[in-house]
Amino acid sequence: FAYNMMNAFISGWKEHILVPLIMLAVFLFPHYKRAVLGIFPVLFAAFFIVVPTYNGIVRELSWSGNMEPEKAAQIAVQRMQRGEIDVAGSNWLFLTGRLSEIGMFVKYVNGVPALHDFYGFKIARQAVVSLMPRALYPSKPVTEEVVRERELEAGIVEEYSAEQVSAKPPMITDAYLSAGIFGIFIFMLLLGMMVSWLSVTAERLFGGYLMGTGLVCTGLFQMLWRGNCFEFMANAVFWSIVLMFVLVFVGRKTGIIRPVESKETSTVQLA
């Protein structure tokens, strides 16, 4: 956990820090209820006070400035300790703008269908194309550039800033862009069915909830926690499914996973 948190703090992604904290609280709560209720609210409050500003500095230095992430993290801590950053102002921008992407969603809604017709199956087709490995499809379009076309068409970013700004629509926005409110309704039903299937399948293949859903499903399909545009979501989920079955195959071949037959049910267990 400590190693994961160290990597999370130099990644520049806020959810990489928040999600492990939430999972740790969930797993510890049945055994240490009072400690979790007393400590974790303070940790979450500290997260919303410190992390948005800290991550902004790390992204500026390591993402845009090509600085080593470890060095960027050190400078971020030093700047905040010296009071060089307006933490309150930075946090206000995060809470009113980036904590939820409603503002960006509204811009997309105002642009479609007023300025651009609904996309229909176009985005879904692009998501299917994104699954193809570039080694087998050398001329495959760059996914980031394909998604950026929607940002430009909706006026989310300007042409001159498109290379520096990423405003990828989350999955609910892509569902709206494809078919409006009806698209959101259908997509969320399909998403729920897929997540349920992934969880049940992982439990069946890896011998129960703890290893199946608790470890494999949440580990391989973390993209479903935070969402993204259709193209990046499809790619991550599809190849994670492939990896899940590869892990089962390797586990059975090496004897780490062994099928267990019983009168009531057929399942597997870890050696």
Side-chain angles (χ1 to χ4, degrees), residues 161-226:
S161 64
E163 295 297 329
Q164 289 76 36
V165 177
S166 177
K168 289 186 289 292
M171 51 188 176
I172 190 171
T173 303
D174 271 350
Y176 172 83
L177 294 179
S178 297
I181 300 299
F182 178 75
I184 294 177
F185 178 74
I186 295 299
F187 174 76
M188 288 303 168
L189 284 179
L190 295 176
L191 180 65
M193 293 169 62
M194 181 182 68
V195 173
S196 296
W197 178 81
L198 291 173
S199 176
V200 171
T201 301
E203 290 184 19
R204 176 174 56 84
L205 295 175
F206 292 90
Y209 174 81
L210 182 60
M211 293 301 299
T213 293
L215 179 64
V216 176
C217 192
T218 57
L220 292 179
F221 304 102
Q222 191 187 86
M223 174 67 77
L224 295 171
W225 290 39
R226 66 181 301 268

Side-chain angles (χ1 to χ4, degrees), residues 6 12 94 108 138 155 203-204 240:
M6 289 172 59
F94 168 69
Y108 277 109
E203 290 184 19
R204 176 174 56 84
S240 292

Side-chain angles (χ1 to χ4, degrees), residues 106-180:
V106 170
K107 292 182 180 180
Y108 277 109
V109 170
N110 290 337
V112 177
L115 303 177
H116 190 288
D117 291 334
F118 288 112
Y119 286 78
F121 290 102
K122 179 181 178 180
I123 302 176
R125 289 195 298 268
Q126 293 173 174
V128 173
V129 172
S130 73
L131 303 180
M132 184 69 67
R134 190 167 297 278
L136 302 178
Y137 184 14
S139 61
K140 185 178 80 169
V142 178
T143 305
E144 186 76 31
E145 295 179 357
V146 171
V147 177
R148 190 176 294 126
E149 291 180 6
R150 299 202 289 282
E151 304 170 14
L152 294 171
E153 290 167 350
I156 305 299
V157 296
E158 301 294 338
E159 185 73 42
Y160 67 87
S161 64
E163 295 297 329
Q164 289 76 36
V165 177
S166 177
K168 289 186 289 292
M171 51 188 176
I172 190 171
T173 303
D174 271 350
Y176 172 83
L177 294 179
S178 297

Side-chain angles (χ1 to χ4, degrees), residues 94-106:
F94 168 69
L95 292 171
T96 57
R98 292 300 297 171
L99 181 60
S100 97
E101 296 178 326
I102 294 298
M104 188 169 67
F105 177 69
V106 170

Side-chain angles (χ1 to χ4, degrees), residues 228-240:
N228 209 319
C229 59
F230 278 6
E231 291 88 345
F232 285 98
M233 285 280 294
N235 195 290
V237 172
F238 175 80
W239 290 108
S240 292

